[in-house]
Amino acid sequence: MKIIAFGASNSKNSINKHLATYAASLFGATEVQVIDLNDYQMPLYSVDLEAEIGQHELAKAFLHTLSTADLLVVSMAEHNGNYSAAFKNIYDWCSRITPKVFQDKPMLLLATSPGARGGASVLEIAKNAFPRYGADVKATFSLPSFNDNFDLEKGLITDEEYDADLRKLIFLF
């Protein structure tokens, strides 16, 4: 089984990338590929730019990478209650190539933030929208107060209850 995991943020120290990496590691997959949205930076999407340059090669590359997965582990960064601009731009470019951006792949959808709501707003938006774009969302998980509940050095959730909740979800896959 191959897992593609990413944090939907372009932060070099993305807490969502850390959470996605940890969650992916719990599956015992034969291969885990953690991708960085910074490798897919494109100009801001517009229909005018698309008419001028066509489908962006990095959007095609992102879609190809997703196509190689048996499972997607995606952790959503929350910017003002919604997707990060970096993720939204990639999503916009890709959706112009195919409306099934997530290619009917099973998905574990996550979110975290430094705050007590743990990215709950963006998680709800993504949970409702992603199935229309080809995501088979099998489960969702929110980790609140990331800095209090995750050890960056060890790369794991430190709160036993939250860790057990995530492990239960993964066991159901």
Side-chain angles (χ1 to χ4, degrees):
M1 173 169 67
K2 180 178 180 182
I3 296 174
I4 300 291
F6 64 91
S9 166
N10 62 342
S11 170
K12 291 178 186 172
N13 299 309
S14 169
I15 61 176
N16 282 281
K17 186 175 179 183
H18 286 289
L19 180 59
T21 301
Y22 175 63
S25 77
L26 298 176
F27 280 92
T30 54
E31 183 180 353
V32 175
Q33 181 181 355
V34 180
I35 61 175
D36 187 330
L37 294 192
N38 289 302
D39 295 334
Y40 301 94
Q41 286 187 7
M42 294 173 265
L44 187 61
Y45 175 81
S46 75
V47 293
D48 296 333
L49 184 57
E50 182 185 27
E52 181 182 324
I53 69 169
Q55 297 173 338
H56 202 286
E57 292 302 315
L58 288 176
K60 292 177 187 176
F62 185 81
L63 289 168
H64 173 73
T65 298
L66 297 187
S67 77
T68 67
D70 298 306
L71 171 69
L72 301 174
V73 176
V74 180
S75 190
M76 301 303 295
E78 185 173 277
H79 290 192
N80 297 315
N82 214 315
Y83 307 138
S84 71
F87 173 76
K88 181 69 167 75
N89 194 50
I90 293 168
Y91 189 53
D92 288 344
W93 276 105
C94 289
S95 70
R96 297 295 291 181
I97 297 170
T98 177
K100 296 247 183 187
V101 172
F102 301 109
Q103 303 167 48
D104 299 319
K105 304 289 182 178
M107 179 185 288
L108 173 59
L109 184 58
L110 314 165
T112 191
S113 74
R117 289 181 31 86
S121 295
V122 73
L123 187 62
E124 187 67 19
I125 292 167
K127 181 178 89 173
N128 291 325
F130 284 7
R132 292 190 301 273
Y133 293 88
D136 181 10
V137 179
K138 297 291 190 186
T140 63
F141 175 81
S142 171
L143 180 66
S145 306
F146 180 85
N147 297 323
D148 297 330
N149 293 313
F150 197 94
D151 184 325
L152 284 171
E153 284 185 27
K154 294 179 181 174
L156 52 81
I157 295 174
T158 55
D159 181 281
E160 290 178 14
E161 253 183 78
Y162 290 128
D163 194 56
D165 289 346
L166 178 60
R167 288 172 183 272
K168 285 177 197 169
L169 289 175
I170 289 170
F171 179 75
L172 296 175
F173 272 79

